[in-house]
Amino acid sequence: MAAVVYFVLIPMTYACTAIFIFSLSWHIVRVVSGLRISLAGSVGPEKRPKFWGSLVESLLFLKIIKTHPVQWFLLILFHITFLFLIAGHIELIGHSECLQIVPHEIFLGAGFIGLVLLVNLSFFLFRRFHSPIREMSEPSDYYILILLILTVLSGSQMNLARSLYGYSTMSVADYRIFLSGLTTFHPVVPDVIQSGDAGHSILLIIHVLCANLVFALFPSSNLVHTILTVPLSRLQRH
Amino acid sequence: MSYKPVKMKKRNPDPGPGRSGDSPSLTGAEDVVARAIQGLGIMHATACMHCGFCADTCHIYLAEPKLENIPAQKFSEITRYIRRRHTLSGRLFSRFVKNGELTQDVLRKISDAVYGRCTACGRCTLQCPVGIDLREIIRIGRKMCAAVRQVPEGLQRTVDNQIQTGNQMAIPREEILSTLDWLAEDLKMEMKDPSIEIPIDQPGKDFLYLINPREIKFFPLSLLSAAGVFHAAGASWTLSSRWFDVTNYGFYAGDTPAATELTRRVIEEAVSLNVKEIILSECGHGYRSFRWEGPHWIGQEYPVSIRSVIELLDEFIRAGRIRVDPTMNPERTTLHDPCNLVRLGGIVDPQRRILRRTVGDFVEMTPNRENNFCCGGGGGMLSMSEFGDVRVASGKIKADQIRATGAKIVATPCHNCADQLIELSKKYKLGVEIQAVVELVYNALIR
Amino acid sequence: MKIGDKSIDFDKDGFMVNPGLWDEQIARAIAGDEGIEEMTEQHWAIVNFIRNYWLEHDLAPAVRLICSDVGVGVRQIYKLFTSGPARGACRVAGLPKPDGCV
Ligand code: HEM
Ligand code: SF4
Ligand code: SF4
C-alpha cells in the first residue's frame, strides 16, 4: 500500500505534470508559429477589432450569450470558479501575500468552489446523456468529465472534512509540506498521509490520482480548447 | 500593377462522367488534407467540444432536426481522419482502431454531408464558442471530394460546362450576341431613347461588367435594367462576349484548379480589354470567389480593382449620377442577404442604402445582415437535383421569415438566391415576387 | 406518380426523369403543380415551342427565342410562368432540369 501511495503522489505526479506542461507548451508553440501562416493565407473581409475583439469575445462567451442564456451563465460561473480553484491550489503550495489581499481561510471560497464546480460538471455530464449531444460525444468527452468530477468530489470532501466535520489530523500545513516539497524537487510524503492515520487521507490519494490522469489526458481530450479558443476566434473570417 | 500570366494547372484526370466512385487511389484527398492543415488548420479540426451549440444555427438542422444535420456532425468524418493521420495520439493508437480511416465509403459519406446537407453558408461559424471555422472544414471536405472526382453529378457537369464552354450554361457566342441585340431594342423602347446601346467587347472603357449566364438565357430583365441604369448614369462600360461569367462553380465544387482557371480567364480578359475595374453583377459566390479567394488562387494581386454592382449603384445614387424616386416601387419590399455576399463577402450596408432610396416601404427580416439565414439554395445546391428535397425543405425557415415581414417583393442581390426564393414562394405559397436590386433601381429611375 | 394511365417519375426538383413519356395531360398536371390554373393558348404556344426546340437541339431554348417565336414580351413570360422559363415552362414542357444556376 505504502508503495502505491508513494508512486501516485510522487513519480506519477511528476510524470503527468511533465506531460501536461510539455503538451501545453507544444500547443502554444504551434499556435504561435501557425498563426502567422494562417493569417497570411486568410481570406475575406477583415475581422475588427482584431486581437482584443477575439479575446473578449471568447473569454466572455459573447457568441452564445443571447442564444443560450442559461448555459452561458453556467459556463461563465464554471470558468470563473475554475480560476479561483487554481488560485486556491497556489496557496496550498505556500503562503502568498497577494492572494491574501482579501483575508480568508484556506481553502479559498469557504467550501463553495467545489460545490459549484460539481453542480456545473454534473450539468455538463447529464447534458451529454441527452440526445443529440449523446450521439455527438466521443468517449474522451466522457472520461475526462468523469475524472474531473471525481477530482472535484474528492477535493471538496477533503475541504469539508476539515472545515465542517472537524477532521484536523491532516491540515494545510501537511499539504504545504507535500506540495512545496514537490515544487522544490525534494519530494516528501508527510507521515499522516503515508500512515493513513487521518481518515481522509484516502481522499487525497484519489484526488491526486484523478488530477494526474486529467493532466496526462489533457492533450488528447477536448480540454485543448483552453489554448485554442482565442487564436481560433481571431482567425474566423468575418 | 502588372499582371503575370498564370498557367492553367492540370485538372484531375477525368475517369468518366459523374461520380467515379471506384477510382482506387485516394492520395489526392490525402494531399488536400495535408495542405489544408498547415498553420492553424489542424486546430480547427481538433478543438471541437461536441457541445452542440452550433445545431440550431443551421437552417438544414432546423428544418430537419436529426443527428447528421448538426453542423459539427457534418465534418466529423473529416476531423476523425485528420486526428488519426496528423496528431500524435492518433498516430500512436491508430494501429488498434479503425476509427478515422479514409476509404471510398467514408469519402462517399463525406461527399453526402458536405454537398448534400450543407450549403457552406457559414452561419454556424458565428456561433461556435470555441471559434471553430466550421465552414472552412466543410470546404476541406469539398476539396477532398473534388480531388478524387466524388462531386455530385449535377455540380460536376456544371463545372465541366463552365471550363469547356466558358459559361456554366454552355450558351454559344452567337446566342449571346443576338440576345444582347434583342435586349438593346427592348431597352430603347422602354427608355424611349434610340441612342442606347449595350456595348460588347469594347476596349478602353471604365469597367467590364460580368454577368450570370442565367441573365442571357432565362432572366434577362436584370441585365436590361443594369444596362438602363448604366446608361442613365452615363457610365463607360462594356460586356465581354468571351469570358463574361460571374459565377465560379469550381469554387462551389471545391475544385481549385477549375476555380483558378476561371479566375485567370476573367482577369486576362479585363487586362486585354484594358478596363480599370471589374464590376460583378449580383452574385453571392461570384463576389466571394472573385473578390476574396481569387488573388490566392492565381497567386498575385489583381491588376484591376474589383467591386460588386451593388457598391457601384450605391455610389451612383450617393453621387447623384442617377436620380431615383421611391414612389415608383410602392409595394412593401424586404431584403434577403446572400451569405456569400454579406456574411462572407462583407457587403452589408450598400444594398440597404440603395433600397431605402428606391423603395417606398422597406422592411428588414429577422435575423438579418451577417446573421441572416441561408435561403437553402447556396453552395451549389441548386445545380444538384439529387438533393432537391433537402433544398426545398431547408428553405422553410426563409419562407417563414419572409411571410413574417408581410412583404410583396423580396429583393436579393444574388441570382442564385433568387431562383431558390422563386421556388420557395411557390412551394410555401408566399405569393411574393423576387427582384434583383438593380431591377428596383431601374424601376425607380427618374428618366 | 400516376397521371392518366401512365406512371411518371419525377426527380427531386420535379422534372421528368423520362422526358420521352411526356404528353399534354402530363403537361397539364405539372402546370397545376406550378399554380397555373388554366393552360391558355399562349401557355401552349410557349410549351410546344420549348418542346420542339429541345427535341431538335437537346437544349432548352434561350428566352429570346421563345419571345420572338411565340411573340410575347419578356415581361409577359414571367406573368404566364411565375417560376420563369427554366423551372416553370421547361418543366411543364417535360424537359430534364437545365444545368447550372436555375
Ligand atoms: C478561453 C476560454 C475558454 C472557453 C471559450 C471555453 C469554452 C468552453 C465551452 C464552450 C465548453 C462547453 C460546455 C458544454 O459542454 O456545455 C467548456 C467546457 C469546459 N471547459 Fe472551457 N473554455 C475556456 C477555458 C477553460 C479553462 C481554462 C479550463 C480549465 C482547464 C476549462 C475547462 C473546461 C471543462 C472541464 C469543461 C467541461 C467539459 C465538457 O463539457 O466536456 N475551460 N468550455
Ligand atoms: S455552413 Fe450553413 S449549412 Fe453548413 S452546417 Fe453551417 S449553418 Fe449549416
Ligand atoms: S459549437 Fe463548436 S465546439 Fe460546439 S459542437 Fe459545434 S463546432 Fe463543436
Side-chain angles (χ1 to χ4, degrees):
Chain A
M1 185 64 199
V4 175
V5 170
Y6 182 80
F7 174 76
V8 168
L9 289 187
I10 305 207
M12 188 181 179
T13 306
Y14 274 131
C16 292
T17 315
I19 295 178
F20 175 72
I21 291 175
F22 176 76
S23 63
L24 203 66
S25 357
W26 163 244
H27 272 102
I28 291 173
V29 168
R30 282 191 79 162
V31 165
V32 171
S33 60
L35 197 59
R36 244 186 309 125
I37 304 177
S38 290
L39 282 176
S42 81
V43 183
E46 265 299 332
K47 180 176 175 126
R48 261 172 239 282
K50 293 179 182 170
F51 177 71
W52 292 108
S54 317
L55 196 69
V56 171
E57 179 185 82
S58 36
L59 290 187
L60 296 183
F61 305 96
L62 290 186
K63 287 182 172 166
I64 54 172
I65 186 168
K66 282 215 190 88
T67 47
H68 302 81
V70 176
Q71 285 169 38
W72 174 82
F73 176 74
L74 286 173
L75 269 176
I76 283 277
L77 192 66
F78 175 71
H79 288 96
I80 291 176
T81 323
F82 219 96
L83 291 183
F84 277 83
L85 194 70
I86 295 169
H89 281 89
I90 291 174
E91 279 187 300
L92 288 184
I93 299 173
H95 177 73
S96 155
E97 282 301 339
C98 50
L99 288 175
Q100 280 292 355
I101 288 180
V102 184
H104 54 261
E105 290 265 317
I106 292 178
F107 198 87
L108 202 63
F112 280 101
I113 286 193
L115 295 180
V116 172
L117 284 176
L118 216 61
V119 170
N120 263 302
L121 284 168
S122 333
F123 172 77
F124 291 146
L125 187 64
F126 283 111
R127 224 170 78 84
R128 288 210 184 273
F129 293 151
H130 206 74
S131 194
I133 299 164
R134 182 176 62 200
E135 291 87 352
M136 285 176 77
S137 303
E138 297 192 350
S140 71
D141 300 337
Y142 289 109
Y143 64 61
I144 208 78
L145 267 178
I146 290 169
L147 283 175
L148 279 170
I149 288 180
L150 287 176
T151 316
V152 172
L153 194 66
S154 51
S156 103
Q157 285 306 307
M158 281 196 293
N159 186 332
L160 296 184
R162 271 192 308 115
S163 54
L164 213 58
Y165 315 130
Y167 283 82
S168 52
T169 36
M170 192 166 71
S171 66
V172 173
D174 296 314
Y175 298 143
R176 281 193 173 155
I177 293 172
F178 170 57
L179 282 171
S180 59
L182 276 178
T183 45
T184 52
F185 296 101
H186 296 293
V188 277
V189 180
D191 285 341
V192 264
I193 304 176
Q194 187 70 283
S195 62
D197 276 352
H200 59 301
S201 63
I202 186 70
L203 287 174
L204 179 73
I205 292 156
I206 296 174
H207 189 69
V208 175
L209 178 70
C210 293
N212 281 344
L213 287 176
V214 171
F215 273 14
L217 294 171
F218 174 88
S220 58
S221 73
N222 63 12
L223 290 184
V224 285
H225 76 273
T226 46
I227 316 166
L228 302 184
T229 302
V230 176
L232 287 186
S233 304
R234 167 67 186 88
L235 272 182
Q236 279 189 342
R237 296 174 177 182
H238 13 102
Chain B
M1 229 176 286
S2 67
Y3 174 75
K4 292 196 294 306
V6 177
K7 273 214 225 77
M8 183 171 175
K9 286 195 198 120
K10 206 168 103 277
R11 294 191 69 216
N12 318 310
D14 184 350
R19 292 187 178 207
S20 69
D22 21 61
S23 88
S25 164
L26 294 176
T27 41
E30 289 170 359
D31 293 346
V32 165
V33 174
R35 244 172 293 129
I37 59 165
Q38 285 172 3
L40 291 192
I42 192 165
M43 308 289 168
H44 283 295
T46 50
C48 179
M49 297 283 298
H50 308 113
C51 64
F53 284 138
C54 45
D56 43 13
T57 54
C58 176
H59 58 289
I60 295 181
Y61 178 78
L62 289 176
E64 205 182 335
K66 56 179 187 182
L67 181 67
E68 60 262 40
N69 284 347
I70 296 179
Q73 213 53 20
K74 297 176 192 172
F75 64 60
S76 61
E77 295 286 356
I78 307 169
T79 52
R80 245 177 240 148
Y81 166 70
I82 296 179
R83 282 209 303 270
R84 179 188 180 91
R85 256 313 279 285
H86 298 281
T87 64
L88 183 64
S89 50
R91 270 191 246 148
L92 285 180
F93 300 112
S94 61
R95 228 163 305 152
F96 311 112
V97 283
K98 283 180 82 81
N99 206 343
E101 266 174 52
L102 193 62
T103 62
Q104 284 293 349
D105 257 5
V106 169
L107 210 67
R108 193 159 300 123
K109 271 196 217 153
I110 293 179
S111 166
D112 279 346
V114 297
Y115 295 106
R117 296 201 297 276
C118 174
T119 58
C121 72
R123 191 166 191 271
C124 44
T125 302
L126 292 183
Q127 177 82 107
C128 176
V130 184
I132 294 173
D133 201 333
L134 290 95
R135 177 183 158 283
E136 203 50 36
I137 310 181
I138 297 279
R139 298 238 344 120
I140 295 177
R142 289 194 173 199
K143 288 179 192 160
M144 288 166 74
C145 294
V148 293
R149 298 270 303 185
Q150 279 274 7
V151 181
E153 205 180 314
L155 186 55
Q156 184 67 54
R157 228 182 13 242
T158 314
V159 178
D160 294 346
N161 270 347
Q162 216 181 354
I163 291 287
Q164 277 152 22
T165 67
N167 70 79
Q168 43 138 314
M169 291 184 186
I171 310 171
R173 183 161 185 270
E174 305 78 61
E175 182 57 59
I176 295 161
L177 297 178
S178 334
T179 298
L180 291 176
D181 270 353
W182 168 70
L183 278 180
E185 288 309 313
D186 266 19
L187 190 59
K188 281 177 195 168
M189 291 211 303
E190 287 197 0
M191 291 188 70
K192 301 192 185 64
D193 180 351
S195 72
I196 300 181
E197 54 164 340
I198 299 184
I200 309 166
D201 296 333
Q202 297 187 4
K205 299 289 182 148
D206 281 354
F207 64 86
L208 167 67
Y209 188 52
L210 299 185
I211 54 174
N212 189 326
R214 173 185 181 276
E215 296 180 78
I216 301 272
K217 190 145 184 178
F218 297 119
F219 290 84
L221 289 178
S222 51
L223 179 53
L224 183 130
S225 310
V229 174
F230 295 161
H231 176 77
S236 142
W237 67 292
T238 183
L239 288 168
S240 155
S241 66
R242 204 160 57 116
W243 308 133
F244 59 86
D245 193 341
V246 70
T247 64
N248 190 331
Y249 268 68
F251 167 73
Y252 275 157
D255 187 342
T256 312
T260 312
E261 168 64 9
L262 295 170
T263 313
R264 179 193 71 81
R265 288 176 181 172
V266 165
I267 299 300
E268 285 180 6
E269 183 71 354
V271 170
S272 79
L273 285 174
N274 195 18
V275 292
K276 299 196 188 77
E277 191 169 28
I278 296 175
I279 297 291
L280 307 172
S281 128
E282 301 176 37
C283 179
H285 84 280
Y287 186 78
R288 169 81 196 176
S289 36
F290 282 116
R291 174 71 180 81
W292 296 114
E293 312 257 357
H296 291 265
W297 287 330
I298 65 171
Q300 58 189 309
E301 292 287 323
Y302 292 151
V304 292
S305 62
I306 197 156
R307 276 195 296 168
S308 164
V309 68
I310 296 294
E311 292 166 280
L312 186 72
L313 293 174
D314 182 38
E315 181 195 305
F316 283 170
I317 293 179
R318 294 213 283 177
R321 285 178 67 179
I322 53 176
R323 287 182 306 131
V324 284
D325 173 10
T327 58
M328 300 297 284
N329 290 312
E331 305 230 53
R332 172 171 286 199
T333 304
T334 185
L335 173 71
H336 165 66
D337 286 304
C339 314
N340 272 310
L341 186 75
V342 179
R343 182 163 40 242
L344 303 165
I347 297 200
V348 186
D349 291 315
Q351 61 266 44
R352 297 188 151 71
R353 282 195 294 265
I354 296 172
L355 287 183
R356 273 190 216 107
R357 297 281 288 272
T358 54
V359 167
D361 182 8
F362 171 56
V363 286
E364 291 271 10
M365 47 174 107
T366 31
N368 55 34
R369 295 173 184 253
E370 288 93 340
N371 211 7
N372 195 26
F373 276 108
C374 177
C375 61
M381 258 320 178
L382 273 161
S383 63
M384 298 183 272
S385 296
E386 45 275 63
F387 306 122
D389 46 351
V390 177
R391 176 170 58 77
V392 173
S394 70
K396 177 160 190 311
I397 318 289
K398 181 77 349 177
D400 292 343
Q401 269 186 297
I402 294 173
R403 207 193 309 271
T405 62
K408 281 275 162 283
I409 295 180
V410 182
T412 181
C414 173
H415 292 290
N416 194 74
C417 299
D419 280 315
Q420 165 79 350
L421 294 174
I422 291 172
E423 190 160 352
L424 294 183
S425 170
K426 183 176 79 194
K427 286 271 157 62
Y428 295 98
K429 308 219 167 1
L430 300 172
V432 292
E433 206 180 312
I434 316 300
Q435 301 237 302
V437 173
V438 70
E439 290 180 64
L440 292 167
V441 174
Y442 175 75
N443 289 346
L445 272 186
I446 301 174
R447 300 187 180 136
Chain C
M1 202 165 100
K2 196 102 173 127
I3 298 173
D5 48 4
K6 292 184 195 167
S7 83
I8 306 292
D9 292 329
F10 292 98
D11 72 8
K12 290 181 178 171
D13 278 329
F15 287 83
M16 286 176 73
V17 173
N18 192 345
L21 296 175
W22 183 86
D23 62 20
E24 295 203 347
Q25 204 177 4
I26 296 172
R28 270 195 210 92
I30 304 178
D33 183 52
E34 272 294 306
I36 299 168
E37 275 155 30
E38 212 205 315
M39 290 284 285
T40 62
E41 223 165 275
Q42 268 190 329
H43 283 113
W44 280 118
I46 294 174
V47 166
N48 286 330
F49 173 74
I50 294 179
R51 182 80 194 170
N52 292 333
Y53 187 95
W54 178 74
L55 288 173
E56 205 172 310
H57 298 92
D58 199 20
L59 254 182
V63 65
R64 174 186 68 92
L65 294 168
I66 306 176
C67 290
S68 32
D69 191 273
V70 181
V72 295
V74 216
R75 295 184 189 269
Q76 193 63 22
I77 287 205
Y78 304 98
K79 300 253 154 47
L80 293 169
F81 294 94
T82 43
S83 309
R87 277 183 190 265
C90 286
R91 196 160 81 86
V92 177
L95 269 56
K97 181 182 171 297
D99 285 338
C101 262
V102 284

